[in-house]
Amino acid sequence: MDEIMHVFSRATAGWQNYLLAGVMAVFAGLTPGGAQASPAGDALGSIGQNTWVYRSLTLRDAGLADPVTLSSNNARQEFFFPVPRGVALSDAQIQFHGSYLKGTARFGGLAMLVNDRPVRGHRILDGAGQLDDVLPVAGGRHETGFVRLAVDWSFNTDLRVCEIDQSRTNALTVDPDTTLRYRYDLGNPPSLESAWGSLPHEVVLTVPGRSLDAEAFDSAWRLGVALERSGRRVTVQEFPMVGSTIALGPELVVPVGLSGIPAFDALRGVKSLTVRDEAQLAALLVLDARTVVGDVVLTDAAFAERVHTMAAALKAQLQADPDALAQYQNWLKNRVQLPFVQRQDANIAVALLGAHPFVAVKSNAGVQAASLFDAAWKGMLKTASLNTIQALPPIEQDRTAIALDYLGGDAVSLDVLSKGDWFANFPLGAVVVDGRVPEQLLIDVSAAPGASSTRPVASVFWNGILLAAERLRADGHPERLVARVPGYALGVTNSVRVSFQRQPLSVDCNEVPQGYPVSVLPSSYVNLGVGTDAASFLGVLPKMAGAADLIIPASYLQHAADSLEQVVRLGSASALSPWGTRLVLAEEGKSVTPERPFLSMEVPITGTKPRIVVDQDHLQINGKQTSWLDVVGLENLSAAEVAKGGDHIGILWHALGAQTHAFKRPFVLNRGDLVVIGDTGPVVWIDSENPSASLPPGAEGSPFFEWRNYLSWGIPVGAFVLFLILLTMLMARRASRKRRSE
């Protein structure tokens, strides 16, 4: 009997447990925290678990404007993709695009290396064709700040190994659209250093609204110039609100599970959205926060409140779906970390919306942020927020040199058989500082002796322009190459290349030539100078890099998002310092007397008679005696000239016709004293004062220059003398005939 009762009690206990579990399950289904699963809840839960950030960068973005062709028998070229230091990359790959031509060779060979590791080899047998490939890139951190792609091109001919093939019918062309793609796991908001370093090439700078006060506008243009100086391209947008029109990218995907929710349905299948309510903005924050907040955000006191208003509006549309509401609240808790909430005394911080980190800067901290992210300080930004009181580049007034290893040049050895290249890549802002510009390049190299008695040659290039070349002793000891840096060689992004060439030796063509090591030493540096006092863009450029005035109409503040892009482009093109420049606002129709070197945009300068006259679509360029150009009907153009205002020299910029968009490509004002600018950059350069300014430095003393000078006045003088001689001969001949007739 006791055994029967024991079994009955166990059965009753089991039934009670099942009943209790059922009741708890029903109760859980009635509470938001344990809501029954729904398609919308599953979709929002999946979005909340996504912590991947995707990036892509082409060689064109990295500064390679044109295709590169390799045509020698054994050619090697390296390409550099900048990546953020300290960020572990995942699923990284290079999508290689190129083409080849094989004419005289039996077959060609192509080897591709990533960070010196061979990853792909191709045997080229056809006559011509396209070459597209996907190259794996090792994951993890890249502390050098670059992913290096090396391309080795060689081909086999009927010639013996030491004979040279002069043909150019065997060539490989590398397309600038070759792309590096990678992603990294966000997890928690990254540090300021990694957030700034991982910004995309095309950066979206978001300002609080369409109109800004002077303080916010001043911060915005400084941030924009700092970004451009770091090699990015800046697009300015205003923080969207109800009534704004937003372009939606093709990558925006609205999950099927979110169907039936009005805010998400409004985003489905459209290329642009005119915002009807705050819930639609919140839906964009969930799916693609970058569309709303961009990459760098200039925040005001109402920023956090605006985000909370959006979140509340979308929450109201999810009330009928407890599971979706619970998942959305979880997303808000874990994936929305707004700036300056936990630490209100900070003025620069990394914030997070979904899987999108962005850099937030308070509207009064633009100068601190612009200088803090300079190369000198950004390596110590290991925290997610801080309060910056002052941050200026540690450059003394008398600094005259910058080491190439500071500019990104690695001291590595290369084994050179016939040709090898060493590179250093850096933005213009790294070498145009405190009123000084690059004047001289000093390269220390060391080369091991080779089997050939012919000495190797080292050639120095700046942005592809040959500056110097010299035969090396090649005895394993340091040697120095010195080259002057002409102003016309400067670019927004700059590349210094040292090319080594050797003569391979093969006795009776029976031996295979071998490479020998060469090095560019870390003692190499750029010498800075104060520049010229000429009334040219080159003369103005170093002055703008120190303490200068940016003069703009006060009306620019009323349409800030449109005008800021032009200000940023011109500020970058004229090397304006984002921390040493002062913003000056001019009232409509009033002229300004500058107190420092200046960039004046559509503001007349007191006492200056511009040579460029603009009236709507009417452009007139005047010389000293007559008008050089007078045309009507131009649009989407602008013009700039060097002008003097009082005791200071500067740049005047004139808008011509409707300015529908900012300049598409970066450029530097480094030639002549007048320029007409199109949407892709300068289209006409004019040097009205000094024709020799466009010649390489030192050309004034060359024999050709002297011969040209003599020729300029020698031709008319010689013609006059010849005329006198001919006239005398003619008169003598007539006199002789007259005497004979008599």
Side-chain angles (χ1 to χ4, degrees):
M1 187 65 179
D2 292 338
E3 185 175 346
I4 295 174
M5 292 298 296
H6 178 68
V7 173
F8 178 76
S9 63
R10 289 182 59 186
T12 305
W15 174 80
Q16 290 173 341
N17 289 337
Y18 283 123
L19 179 62
L20 179 62
V23 171
M24 292 180 64
V26 173
F27 180 78
L30 297 176
T31 60
Q36 293 181 349
S38 68
D42 290 341
L44 289 172
S46 178
I47 292 172
Q49 295 174 4
N50 177 31
T51 59
W52 290 105
V53 179
Y54 296 84
R55 292 285 185 259
S56 64
L57 181 75
T58 67
L59 287 176
R60 194 184 308 276
D61 296 335
L64 183 67
D66 302 310
V68 172
T69 299
L70 309 179
S71 58
S72 63
N73 186 18
N74 193 346
R76 176 187 174 97
Q77 182 77 45
E78 285 197 347
F79 305 92
F80 295 80
F81 293 94
V83 295
R85 289 184 175 92
V87 175
L89 309 187
S90 297
D91 299 333
Q93 62 181 24
I94 295 174
Q95 295 179 346
F96 180 86
H97 302 290
S99 59
Y100 62 88
L101 174 67
K102 187 186 71 64
T104 61
R106 291 201 303 269
F107 63 85
L110 172 64
M112 290 183 278
L113 301 87
V114 176
N115 294 333
D116 292 329
R117 296 177 55 185
V119 296
R120 191 78 78 239
H122 291 276
R123 183 182 176 95
I124 307 299
L125 299 175
D126 301 331
Q130 289 294 121
L131 186 61
D132 299 309
D133 204 347
V134 177
L135 312 177
V137 178
R141 292 176 171 84
H142 293 69
E143 298 301 337
T144 62
F146 292 97
V147 170
R148 290 184 293 129
L149 168 65
V151 178
D152 279 332
W153 167 252
S154 61
F155 48 86
N156 191 9
T157 70
D158 293 326
L159 302 176
R160 292 185 295 176
V161 69
C162 64
E163 294 178 316
I164 299 176
D165 186 0
Q166 302 293 342
S167 172
R168 290 295 179 264
T169 59
N170 305 295
L172 171 73
T173 299
V174 180
D175 196 294
D177 289 328
T178 296
T179 305
L180 169 68
R181 299 184 186 277
Y182 63 90
R183 65 175 183 167
Y184 63 91
D185 189 4
L186 179 63
N188 296 313
S191 67
L192 281 164
E193 178 194 16
S194 58
W196 184 268
S198 59
L199 289 173
H201 176 72
E202 300 285 343
V203 175
V204 178
L205 171 61
T206 303
V207 295
R210 178 166 182 78
S211 63
L212 300 178
D213 58 28
E215 188 176 53
F217 191 99
D218 189 46
S219 292
W221 83 261
R222 294 178 192 276
L223 280 172
V225 171
L227 286 163
E228 297 251 335
R229 286 164 65 103
S230 66
R232 269 81 176 191
R233 296 295 291 157
V234 177
T235 301
V236 181
Q237 72 173 20
E238 60 184 85
F239 194 68
M241 58 186 64
V242 175
S244 300
T245 300
I246 302 175
L248 304 180
E251 65 277 1
L252 179 67
V253 177
V254 183
V256 177
L258 297 177
S259 299
I261 302 173
F264 290 103
D265 288 341
L267 309 180
R268 199 183 306 276
V270 296
K271 295 182 179 179
S272 64
L273 171 71
T274 300
V275 181
R276 295 194 301 271
D277 54 53
E278 298 282 1
Q280 293 178 355
L281 290 174
L284 273 176
L285 288 178
V286 172
L287 298 178
D288 184 13
R290 185 172 184 257
T291 306
V292 180
V293 298
D295 304 298
V296 179
V297 183
L298 192 69
T299 65
D300 57 9
F303 178 80
E305 183 180 346
R306 283 288 317 280
V307 175
H308 289 312
T309 301
M310 297 175 191
L314 181 57
K315 189 183 299 183
Q317 294 188 5
L318 299 176
Q319 294 296 325
D321 189 335
D323 181 44
L325 179 60
Q327 294 292 350
Y328 180 58
Q329 289 176 326
N330 188 58
W331 181 84
L332 290 173
K333 178 182 177 181
N334 298 322
R335 310 305 302 165
V336 176
Q337 299 178 18
L338 299 179
F340 318 125
V341 175
Q342 299 295 330
R343 185 179 174 185
Q344 297 183 0
D345 65 329
N347 54 11
I348 304 170
V350 180
L352 183 66
L353 282 173
H356 177 64
F358 60 94
V359 177
V361 179
K362 284 187 176 180
S363 58
N364 61 351
V367 63
Q368 294 94 325
S371 51
L372 185 67
F373 289 113
D374 185 71
W377 302 121
K378 63 184 180 182
M380 69 178 190
L381 304 179
K382 305 300 184 183
T383 60
S385 65
L386 47 79
N387 183 32
T388 306
I389 300 172
Q390 183 171 342
L392 295 176
I395 297 175
E396 301 294 338
Q397 296 289 332
D398 57 351
R399 182 172 183 178
T400 59
I402 300 178
L404 279 184
D405 61 350
Y406 176 82
L407 300 174
D410 294 327
V412 296
S413 295
L414 309 172
D415 282 340
V416 177
L417 172 61
S418 59
K419 184 178 179 181
D421 294 323
W422 176 93
F423 291 88
N425 301 281
F426 48 89
L428 179 64
V431 289
V432 178
V433 291
D434 196 37
R436 296 177 180 271
V437 293
E439 184 178 62
Q440 199 175 48
L441 186 60
L442 296 95
I443 304 291
D444 291 334
V445 301
S446 180
S452 172
S453 60
T454 303
R455 294 188 295 169
V457 175
S459 304
V460 180
F461 298 82
W462 187 299
N463 285 341
I465 298 175
L466 177 64
L467 302 185
E470 187 174 325
R471 285 192 176 94
L472 303 178
R473 296 190 307 270
D475 56 4
H477 293 88
E479 303 177 56
R480 172 161 290 183
L481 287 77
V482 180
R484 293 186 62 84
V485 181
Y488 56 77
L490 300 178
V492 174
T493 56
N494 295 270
S495 176
V496 171
R497 174 165 61 96
V498 182
S499 180
F500 298 93
Q501 288 181 294
R502 286 184 180 273
Q503 178 62 50
L505 179 66
S506 177
V507 179
D508 296 327
C509 296
N510 295 321
E511 299 177 356
V512 177
Q514 301 295 323
Y516 297 88
V518 297
S519 294
V520 176
L521 305 178
S523 56
S524 304
Y525 64 94
V526 178
N527 217 13
L528 305 181
V530 295
T532 176
D533 290 330
S536 64
F537 289 122
L538 276 180
V540 174
L541 202 65
K543 297 177 175 60
M544 305 295 281
D549 282 345
L550 170 61
I551 306 172
I552 63 171
S555 59
Y556 276 18
L557 275 61
Q558 304 307 314
H559 48 93
D562 297 329
S563 59
L564 269 169
E565 287 192 23
Q566 295 287 21
V567 174
V568 169
R569 297 289 191 273
L570 264 296
S572 177
S574 57
L576 271 183
S577 167
W579 46 80
T581 302
R582 179 178 60 183
L583 179 65
V584 178
L585 300 178
E587 297 299 327
E588 186 71 25
K590 292 186 178 180
S591 61
V592 172
T593 302
E595 300 177 2
R596 302 193 288 185
F598 60 91
L599 168 63
S600 177
M601 300 182 63
E602 300 186 280
V603 176
I605 299 300
T606 304
T608 299
K609 184 178 180 181
R611 288 169 294 175
I612 298 176
V613 180
V614 170
D615 183 12
Q616 298 298 321
D617 61 346
H618 184 185
L619 172 64
Q620 185 175 356
I621 300 179
N622 298 316
K624 292 183 178 180
Q625 304 296 331
T626 184
S627 176
W628 289 341
L629 181 71
D630 195 343
V631 293
V632 179
L634 300 176
E635 288 188 357
N636 288 325
L637 291 176
S638 62
E641 64 177 298
V642 176
K644 190 171 184 181
D647 297 330
H648 301 283
I649 194 170
I651 299 173
L652 289 177
W653 180 78
H654 314 269
L656 179 64
Q659 299 291 308
T660 57
H661 45 70
F663 313 121
K664 295 179 180 178
R665 296 180 182 176
F667 62 93
V668 176
L669 296 174
N670 60 356
R671 294 170 55 189
D673 57 350
L674 299 168
V675 62
V676 178
I677 309 170
D679 59 354
T680 59
V683 293
V684 176
W685 295 96
I686 302 172
D687 190 344
S688 65
E689 297 292 338
N690 182 15
S692 66
S694 59
L695 295 175
E700 292 84 349
S702 67
F704 173 77
F705 185 83
E706 295 298 330
W707 175 81
R708 192 184 70 172
N709 280 343
Y710 294 141
L711 187 64
S712 62
W713 58 262
I715 288 179
V717 172
F720 180 70
V721 172
L722 181 61
F723 173 74
L724 291 179
I725 293 174
L726 292 175
L727 181 62
T728 303
M729 293 176 62
L730 180 61
M731 293 177 64
R733 186 175 181 180
R734 286 183 177 179
S736 175
R737 288 180 177 178
K738 186 176 181 181
R739 286 195 299 270
R740 290 177 183 175
S741 63
E742 292 177 351

